[in-house]
Amino acid sequence: MDVIKTQQISPRPIEKVIVHPLVLLSIVDNYNRVAKDTRKRVIGVLLGTSFKGTVDVTNSYAVPFEEDEKDPSIWFLDHNYHESMFSMFKRINAKEHVVGWYSTGPKLRENDLDIHRLFHNYVPNPVLVIIDVQPKELGIPTKAYYDVEEVKENATQKSQKVFVHVPSEIAAHEVEEIAVKHLLRDVKDTTISTLATEVTGKLTALKGLDARLREIRGYLDLVIDEKLPLNHEILYHLQLN
């Protein structure tokens, strides 16, 4: 399915989607248990918060889902199961709301807009996050979308819903980082998906990069304020890096 880039109308534009590591771990675990070595995908509900264009995905759960491989228009998602699960989750954390749904794709499918339409019953502007549970390249294993009404230039043509890509990133609270490290500490099974390991590695690397950039900024500020002399050798190495 193509993501169309034309004139669009969106009541609440989404600017960014943040996915937490424990959400990824939960999705990968469920995929490995029910869909590994098959052509099936796993679908579930995303919980979290939405504020000023940023959707923060902090929790999730899978829902029973079936689809006809030959006819994409035939599919079943157990919304009764979803409503029952959400009721239980809400008792645990009332701050978390339905923010959208996820699919292990690994890319957009023909019936995704129809499924997305169902989630409009639970949230005004749901997001779809596609999780690549078997990434073949390094990078963030998530792609996020929301739908907008595509405006046709020809007034005789009906408007239609299309997916629009929105930037996504992986972020974690300190307690989540500790939990992920504990979960992965004793993992010896090499058949387990490397997604969680990659996410943890990227978080560690980004924290190290942030610390290094802060150190560089501190040095440059001191040079600008003439509290330290200008060192051309240091600036040369900074430009190389």
Side-chain angles (χ1 to χ4, degrees), residues 45 75 77-80 82-83 86 97-101 113-127 147 161:
V45 177
W75 56 272
L77 187 148
D78 194 339
H79 61 89
N80 290 322
H82 150 59
E83 291 168 5
F86 177 63
H97 302 280
V98 176
V99 293
W101 62 291
L113 275 172
D114 295 329
I115 300 171
H116 201 78
R117 192 175 297 114
L118 173 66
F119 279 88
H120 273 281
N121 294 327
Y122 305 104
V123 57
N125 197 12
V127 296
D147 65 339
K161 291 282 189 177

Side-chain angles (χ1 to χ4, degrees), residues 2 14 18 26 85 122 139 145 172 228:
D2 295 329
I14 297 171
I18 300 172
S26 173
M85 286 292 290
Y122 305 104
Y145 304 89
L228 282 177

Side-chain angles (χ1 to χ4, degrees), residues 22-70:
L22 293 181
V23 174
L24 297 178
L25 286 172
S26 173
I27 294 171
V28 171
D29 175 67
N30 183 260
Y31 175 84
N32 285 333
R33 285 188 289 106
V34 304
K36 189 177 181 180
D37 298 326
T38 72
R39 297 181 63 183
K40 293 183 178 180
R41 59 172 169 163
V42 172
I43 280 179
V45 177
L46 297 174
L47 303 178
T49 58
S50 181
F51 183 69
K52 291 186 177 180
T54 297
V55 177
D56 195 23
V57 182
T58 54
N59 214 337
S60 68
Y61 53 85
V63 293
F65 175 78
E66 295 290 340
E67 61 186 331
D68 191 320
E69 294 183 4
K70 297 181 180 179

Side-chain angles (χ1 to χ4, degrees), residues 12-194:
R12 285 183 177 180
I14 297 171
E15 299 173 1
K16 180 172 63 176
V17 176
I18 300 172
V19 182
H20 288 241
L22 293 181
V23 174
L24 297 178
L25 286 172
S26 173
I27 294 171
V28 171
D29 175 67
N30 183 260
Y31 175 84
N32 285 333
R33 285 188 289 106
V34 304
K36 189 177 181 180
D37 298 326
T38 72
R39 297 181 63 183
K40 293 183 178 180
R41 59 172 169 163
V42 172
I43 280 179
V45 177
L46 297 174
L47 303 178
T49 58
S50 181
F51 183 69
K52 291 186 177 180
T54 297
V55 177
D56 195 23
V57 182
T58 54
N59 214 337
S60 68
Y61 53 85
V63 293
F65 175 78
E66 295 290 340
E67 61 186 331
D68 191 320
E69 294 183 4
K70 297 181 180 179
D71 186 352
S73 66
I74 301 176
W75 56 272
F76 169 76
L77 187 148
D78 194 339
H79 61 89
N80 290 322
Y81 177 88
H82 150 59
E83 291 168 5
S84 176
M85 286 292 290
F86 177 63
S87 177
M88 290 188 289
F89 270 83
K90 196 170 184 180
R91 294 175 189 173
I92 299 172
N93 189 346
K95 293 182 179 179
E96 289 182 338
H97 302 280
V98 176
V99 293
W101 62 291
Y102 71 81
S103 163
T104 57
K107 50 188 177 181
L108 287 172
R109 300 198 184 186
E110 190 174 340
N111 55 6
D112 283 348
L113 275 172
D114 295 329
I115 300 171
H116 201 78
R117 192 175 297 114
L118 173 66
F119 279 88
H120 273 281
N121 294 327
Y122 305 104
V123 57
N125 197 12
V127 296
L128 162 60
V129 178
I130 294 182
I131 313 290
D132 188 352
V133 295
Q134 295 177 320
K136 297 178 182 177
E137 299 177 358
L138 289 176
I140 296 177
T142 60
K143 290 184 179 179
Y145 304 89
Y146 68 101
D147 65 339
V148 297
E149 198 80 25
E150 182 190 18
V151 178
K152 299 289 186 178
E153 293 183 2
N154 188 338
T156 60
Q157 293 179 309
K158 291 183 178 180
S159 61
Q160 64 179 9
K161 291 282 189 177
V162 295
F163 277 127
V164 174
H165 180 264
V166 59
S168 62
E169 62 183 55
I170 310 298
H173 302 304
E174 184 177 357
V175 65
E176 287 180 298
E177 293 182 17
I178 296 172
V180 171
K181 289 178 181 178
H182 277 283
L183 283 171
L184 299 177
R185 183 177 55 187
D186 299 321
V187 171
K188 304 295 181 183
D189 187 354
T190 57
T191 64
I192 294 178
S193 171
T194 60

Side-chain angles (χ1 to χ4, degrees), residues 215-229:
E215 184 180 351
I216 293 172
R217 180 178 178 179
Y219 166 75
L220 294 175
D221 286 341
L222 290 173
V223 171
I224 293 172
D225 295 338
E226 298 183 349
K227 295 180 180 179
L228 282 177

